[in-house]
Amino acid sequence: MRDSDPRELFNAFLDDELDETERDVVTAACAESTALATELADLTVVRSQLRSLPDVEPPEGFFESLLERGTASADAELPANVSSMSTARRAVAKRRSVPSLLIRSVSVAAVFLLVLGFGSGIRAIERVPAIEEFASRHAAAAALMPESAETDEFHPMPMEEVKDLGPTGSAAGLQMMGAYQGGSGSDSVLQFVYSDGSDGVISVFRQDGAVKSSEMPPADSVVMAGHDAWHMTKGEADILIIDVDGVTFTMVGSLDSGPAMNTLVDELPGTNPGLLNKVQNSFRRVLDTIGL
Amino acid sequence: MTDNHSNPEKVPTWEEIARDHGRFLYTVAYRLTGNYDDTQDLVQEVLLRVERGLVNYQPGNLNGWLSRITTNAFLDAVRRKKRRPEQALPDEPDRVLEGAPGADLALAAAKLPDHLQAALLELPEDYRAVVVMCDVVGLQYDEISDQLDIPVGTVRSRIHRGRSKLREILAPILDETDG
């Protein structure tokens, strides 16, 4: 024990987490110093009061309401005061301020997209994810990854180009094993495949455009990390669809992949500056090429 | 909050957790957040994570597992709020501790839990989480270390600094109750 100040040991002393030598240091210090003994007494009171704090009663019917409705629809059907609060928070999240540089980037990107004929506007697009197709693609990737994820419709993408568009997976102990793109233009789908190093594989599909909530099953509605989401199972697959600021992510994993998927949710980038920077850079290259 | 180890042989259902451990979850969540709106949000988030995590739950220290989920969900929410700041105030209107010296001894003693809750909110979230796991949930240092995946030395340090900060904040009240 290298603590030179015996006060560093006081709380561990109270919690009986010291060895005998350390306990002797505390005892001797308090015997020699009234100030230290008073400090130890104060900490004893603080600890005692913390441990005496009463239980906190939830509002009447709070858990009964959750039990009746189940977690899957909990947020959508909570008691009125809770539901309105969550709705308000989502509204706040959607209204949050955007740095001016990002606004400028979005403006430039919008012009670029218009030039290329994507004038319908990504923001106006709504998605109903092709769950069956995604589950099938995931199953193939999970069985024979990564080669099977490459098909006539889906082509590998260099990870350097797409790494900002999906979760890193690192917080969940996952490694991105491949990235693939299918479709084209505003209808393109990016698939990220993550592995835990053994049998655990999760696919994350990214599509520009918000989830078309009117066509999603209300009973599967949840809120994840402040975003509208839908959670369901299809056969052996656990599926989580989440709308992050107008970008649709569909996660597909096995039934035991819930915790890892929860962690991935916190890493979803949404409409991220990385994508906008790429578009912006492309726009600049176009301008340079045509001499403007 | 003293029964930390549930029946190790049985994996509870989600309904059993909500029914039998809901008050525990609510208390831990309130001690972490300090206001009822955030507590209810946090408990809902925790129950979602519990539902999704039950398939991986190994019977053992159920309250430890639940407090880990609660603490992680709380810290995730804190990180999100730091990215998207919102105004969140505690429900207790008398959070300003400077008012206490004028109160009489009995009142100061009676209101100590309120002051303590307010003082908890003054702690950095990482410290608050460890103090709550130790003193509200009742976990040992090594259990907290396992649940939060941080070294025991870090647990010890955070508890020391957290409680010492509480002592510093509560010093006027402690002096008064000491007479």
Side-chain angles (χ1 to χ4, degrees):
Chain A
M1 184 66 222
R2 295 183 178 177
D3 293 308
S4 55
D5 186 344
R7 288 179 295 189
E8 298 282 331
L9 302 173
F10 280 1
N11 285 288
F13 175 83
L14 295 175
D15 293 330
D16 197 20
E17 297 273 355
L18 297 182
D19 60 33
E20 193 170 343
T21 306
E22 292 169 323
R23 291 185 67 83
D24 289 345
V25 169
V26 173
T27 307
C30 289
E32 291 174 8
S33 165
T34 307
L36 289 180
T38 302
E39 183 168 338
L40 181 60
D42 281 355
L43 288 170
T44 306
V45 173
V46 168
R47 178 180 182 275
S48 169
Q49 289 294 329
L50 279 167
R51 290 174 177 240
S52 304
L53 283 171
D55 283 358
V56 182
E57 292 292 339
E60 190 174 351
F62 176 71
F63 284 104
E64 289 77 3
S65 174
L66 291 180
L67 280 168
E68 283 172 13
R69 290 165 175 80
T71 44
S73 57
D75 197 80
E77 300 180 44
L78 282 170
N81 61 328
V82 177
S83 183
S84 62
M85 172 193 63
S86 297
T87 302
R89 289 191 173 189
R90 284 198 294 276
V92 167
K94 287 175 180 172
R95 284 200 306 269
R96 70 182 188 271
S97 64
V98 181
S100 59
L101 181 60
L102 186 55
I103 292 173
R104 291 173 60 196
S105 301
V106 170
S107 303
V108 172
V111 171
F112 181 58
L113 292 172
L114 281 168
V115 168
L116 291 185
F118 298 140
S120 56
I122 285 174
R123 283 291 183 184
I125 298 171
E126 288 190 310
R127 302 287 178 194
V128 178
I131 294 171
E132 302 290 347
E133 180 189 337
F134 289 170
S136 173
R137 281 197 55 75
H138 168 72
L144 292 166
M145 65 167 303
E147 294 78 5
S148 64
E150 181 179 353
T151 65
D152 289 342
E153 292 80 29
F154 271 75
H155 306 287
M157 294 282 289
M159 287 196 208
E160 307 79 56
E161 289 189 15
V162 296
K163 64 182 174 62
D164 295 335
L165 302 179
T168 66
S170 55
L174 301 174
Q175 184 176 2
M176 192 194 291
M177 302 301 291
Y180 307 87
Q181 182 179 30
S184 61
S186 59
D187 287 328
S188 69
V189 179
L190 288 177
Q191 179 185 9
F192 303 94
V193 182
Y194 301 85
S195 170
D196 66 2
S198 55
D199 294 335
V201 177
I202 294 175
S203 291
V204 178
F205 296 87
R206 174 186 170 124
Q207 298 169 281
D208 286 323
V211 178
K212 191 171 187 179
S213 56
S214 61
E215 294 193 16
M216 300 300 290
D220 295 335
S221 174
V222 295
V223 171
M224 296 287 290
H227 304 291
D228 294 330
W230 291 262
H231 175 225
M232 61 200 76
T233 55
K234 295 285 181 188
E236 296 299 309
D238 194 8
I239 295 167
L240 180 69
I241 298 164
I242 183 165
D243 181 337
V244 180
D245 301 336
V247 179
T248 298
F249 290 93
T250 304
M251 295 189 186
V252 186
S254 57
L255 293 177
D256 62 356
S257 58
M261 286 167 68
N262 275 336
T263 307
L264 289 179
V265 165
D266 288 333
E267 295 183 346
L268 292 176
T271 310
N272 77 27
L275 173 61
L276 296 172
N277 287 338
K278 287 186 179 71
V279 174
Q280 212 173 353
N281 290 337
S282 300
F283 185 40
R284 286 203 191 96
R285 282 199 297 274
V286 170
L287 294 179
D288 290 343
T289 302
I290 62 179
L292 293 176
Chain B
M1 310 297 284
T2 55
D3 179 18
N4 300 317
H5 301 272
S6 297
N7 180 355
E9 301 300 323
K10 183 174 178 290
V11 177
T13 64
W14 178 84
E15 289 77 9
E16 286 170 339
I17 288 177
R19 187 181 60 238
D20 301 338
H21 299 266
R23 184 170 161 174
F24 168 79
L25 287 176
Y26 201 88
T27 298
V28 174
Y30 181 79
R31 296 300 170 212
L32 289 168
T33 65
N35 73 80
Y36 293 110
D37 283 348
D38 285 342
T39 296
Q40 292 180 13
D41 272 0
L42 181 56
V43 169
Q44 291 165 51
E45 174 69 18
V46 168
L47 287 175
L48 275 171
R49 295 188 184 198
V50 165
E51 183 188 36
R52 296 166 67 78
L54 267 177
V55 290
N56 292 329
Y57 173 67
Q58 300 295 317
N61 186 349
L62 179 59
N63 277 1
W65 183 67
L66 292 174
S67 62
R68 176 180 65 179
I69 292 175
T70 308
T71 304
N72 285 336
F74 164 70
L75 293 174
D76 288 347
V78 167
R79 283 190 281 269
R80 281 196 301 275
K81 280 186 179 177
K82 284 179 177 170
R83 291 199 294 265
R84 298 190 298 231
E86 291 177 29
Q87 190 72 15
L89 296 173
D91 292 320
E92 301 300 338
D94 53 353
R95 185 167 177 236
V96 180
L97 300 177
E98 285 71 17
D104 63 23
L105 175 62
L107 182 60
K111 294 192 76 66
L112 188 53
D114 294 342
H115 290 304
L116 190 53
Q117 176 64 48
L120 268 175
L121 299 183
E122 301 285 328
L123 299 184
E125 290 86 1
D126 287 345
Y127 291 9
R128 194 189 315 161
V130 173
V131 169
V132 166
M133 289 185 92
C134 181
D135 289 327
V136 176
V137 180
L139 299 181
Q140 305 293 316
Y141 287 12
D142 59 343
E143 292 174 313
I144 298 170
S145 166
D146 287 344
Q147 298 293 352
L148 294 183
D149 197 22
I150 56 177
V152 171
T154 304
V155 173
R156 182 160 147 168
S157 166
R158 288 181 184 177
I159 287 174
H160 171 68
R161 296 186 196 290
R163 281 206 204 121
S164 297
K165 179 71 175 172
L166 291 177
R167 171 185 174 261
E168 183 184 317
I169 296 170
L170 295 169
I173 300 160
L174 293 174
D175 290 346
E176 200 160 336
T177 54
D178 284 344

